[in-house]
Amino acid sequence: MWKRNLAPGSETKPAEPQTSPIDSDELQTMSEEEVDALLRKVDAESRTRKLSPFWSKAVTVIAILFTSFQLYTAIFGALSPQVQRSIHLSFAMLLGFILYPMRRGKMDSKINPIDLLLIASSIFTSVYWLLYFKDIVYRVGDITAMDFAVGIIAIITVLEATRRVVGYPVLILASISLIYCYLGAFFPSFFQHRGFSLNRIVRHMYLSTEGILGVPIGVVSTFVFLFLLFGAFLKRTGVGQFFNDFANALTGKAVGGPAKVAVISSALQGTISGSSIANVAASGSFTIPLMKKCGYEPEFAAAVEASASTGGQIMPPVMGAAAFLMAEFTGVPYWSVALAAAIPAVLYFTGIFISVDLEARKLGLRGVQGEEVQSLLTVLKTRGILFAPIIVIVVTMSSGMTAMRAGLLGILSAILCGSLYKEHRLKLRDYAEVFVEAAKTAIGVAIVSGSAGIVVGMVTLTGLGLKLGTGLVELAGGNLIMTLVLAMVSSLVLGMGVPTTANYVITSTIVSPALIELGVPVIAAHLFVFYFGIIADITPPVCSAVFTGSAIAGSDTLKSGVCATRIAVGAFIIPYMFVLSPQLVLVDASFLQLLRIIPTALIGMYMLSSATNGWMRCRALWFERILLAFGGVMLIDSGALTDLIGIGCFVLIFLWQGYRIKKASARHAA
């Protein structure tokens, strides 16, 4: 490991970059088997059991049928909402009960009688909708004894599937939601309501499109699955590795290059990934060992990867599947949601990039040297065409084409691009494996959407969203900033240990009404709670993305979590920026306004990163850090006065540090 430059004068003079090359033979990266083992340890959705040959074949057949069903309905038209959603959810639960054991720590291959009963329940609940769809619809709310029994079975089956596949946080939220619906009369203050009968709860939760078969599973069973399949094809056709190579060629040799590779690679991986943890495991197995070899401390290396990978969930066009849900919940067209999220996402990654650069300059760390890094021109010439599938998705969606049609064209383009390279040309067996991978990826997303639907159903049945919104506003005394702070804390707590899809559904349903009540634009309110729900992945104590990064880096998890929070300081500031300046999410924005707001926002990010890193042009003294932080906070608001104060602080510190460097150089020369 390279040593830090602590020579006399280093506090006012950036350390000289180290020039020793990294021997790629000495660089130990993780194999696919090691990555899988890590995911099993950290990620609940990766803890599948070892199956017998019979059940392994059964999973393969069911998964291929699942994907084939989704492709068929995408091409020829979806079925009626309840039938489409119930079949999709049943496929996911069926696979879930086969793959995930009853006791989550026990990975045996034996399928026991309870598993078989739950498998039968998964099939029965969708068959019931398929057979009696017209009868249920024509009864218009009347519920028979059979309807009630099937509804109870469906709710219990979904909750058990959630426990096995996703874990306890979502299960607890869904269970509390059901209890709240029934015992609302016993809750205090504005939480109180008259309570509902079991018949009413079951009817609302399963025999309508307000609960389990509501909007979340509706979006997942149509748009989202196609993009999960698209991501599986991208990985199989070498696009994931291409993203790493492209990022390495772009910044690998720069100051602190490996850390910058992690930032860029994770941003690109995030366009196709639906999980912060999976993103960390995929790109971190390469970038974290490289960062450590370059001289970064293990805690910092883990923090950089975790921060960058978590940011992948806020990067359009997929945003961990939340972009499609946001379009449904807000009534804003999908492409408008993606565009609105673009500027904040770029600001987020710019903030991390700046933190990495400042840390590298402070420590005098240089990037990868030698011939092991391909030139950018070589990478683009040989494999640049692999960008085409992403471009196809962006162009088709921006042209007004439906998400389903764009997803199908994206899949086709990925197959065509992969066929240009012999090593990525797909055979029949490869197609089967991609179908299976997509279906397995969809298990957790579908099941968590079913449970999230229970939470949404509770809110629509009891009116809790409006009550909680009013309560938060009253608690904050009607003050917007205080309401934003309370909404931030609520979203961080609700997002702890919760996958991206459920994370957004829960936070947007429970917290965003408070912001909308105070006049915050709908898209800004939803992005605000979404950001903080996602940032829970790197916020101690429950920071799942950091746990993964720490396992790869061999670092202290708590220290890595604190470091990740410091690196991603922009994530805690950017949401306030676009609420106070909605033009950043393209609400009533003009080109001239953006021309002023974006540069000041970037300067603010630079100042905050400098304050937290303790380095700007040279090592920052304590009062300089305070002034940098103050100036950065001033630039959160886009007002002329606050901008003037913030930029004034920046210029003052910039000139003062220049004076310090000049004075130190003269003293050193003497």
Side-chain angles (χ1 to χ4, degrees), residues 402-449:
T402 65
M404 291 181 74
R405 192 62 58 190
L408 287 170
L409 288 174
I411 290 169
L412 182 60
S413 65
I415 295 170
L416 291 174
C417 288
S419 67
L420 298 175
Y421 303 91
K422 187 177 180 181
E423 66 270 25
H424 298 308
R425 212 165 284 157
L426 301 181
K427 301 178 180 65
L428 186 61
R429 182 183 180 86
D430 295 320
Y431 283 101
E433 290 176 353
V434 169
F435 275 34
V436 171
E437 183 181 347
K440 287 182 176 180
T441 305
I443 294 171
V445 179
I447 290 172
V448 84
S449 296

Side-chain angles (χ1 to χ4, degrees), residues 216 275 278 489 593:
S275 166
V489 174
Q593 285 175 319

Side-chain angles (χ1 to χ4, degrees), residues 444-499:
V445 179
I447 290 172
V448 84
S449 296
S451 283
I454 293 176
V455 178
V456 175
M458 174 271 292
V459 170
T460 57
L461 185 62
T462 64
L464 178 66
L466 292 175
K467 292 177 183 178
L468 193 59
T470 303
L472 281 176
V473 172
E474 288 178 358
L475 188 62
N479 182 275
L480 177 60
I481 298 297
M482 281 304 302
T483 305
L484 289 174
V485 172
L486 290 174
M488 174 187 73
V489 174
S490 301
S491 298
L492 284 170
V493 172
L494 289 170
M496 287 182 177
V498 179

Side-chain angles (χ1 to χ4, degrees), residues 15 87 92 152 167 273 279 384 387 441 466 477 489 515:
I87 292 175
I152 290 290
S273 170
N279 204 351
F387 268 128
T441 305
L466 292 175
V489 174
L515 306 183

Side-chain angles (χ1 to χ4, degrees), residues 1-6 13-20 22 251-260 288 290-298 300-301 304 355-369 613 615:
M1 183 180 289
W2 294 334
K3 296 180 180 179
R4 302 185 183 192
N5 188 330
L6 296 177
K13 183 180 179 182
E16 290 296 326
Q18 303 288 342
T19 56
S20 301
I22 294 176
T251 60
K253 292 186 177 182
V255 173
K260 293 175 180 176
I288 289 175
L290 197 55
M291 281 189 270
K292 288 173 65 179
K293 193 68 179 178
C294 258
Y296 285 105
E297 297 293 338
F300 189 82
V304 168
S355 289
V356 163
D357 183 71
L358 291 172
E359 184 78 8
R361 294 183 187 282
K362 181 169 68 176
L363 301 180
L365 304 180
R366 193 161 181 172
V368 180
Q369 303 299 303
N613 276 277
W615 188 278

Side-chain angles (χ1 to χ4, degrees), residues 22 94 106 117 146 167 214 234 284-285 301 317 427 439 540 545 548 559 572 632:
I22 294 176
L94 177 57
K106 193 176 180 182
L117 181 63
M146 189 63 178
L234 286 184
S285 60
K427 301 178 180 65
T548 310
K559 289 181 180 178
F572 295 87

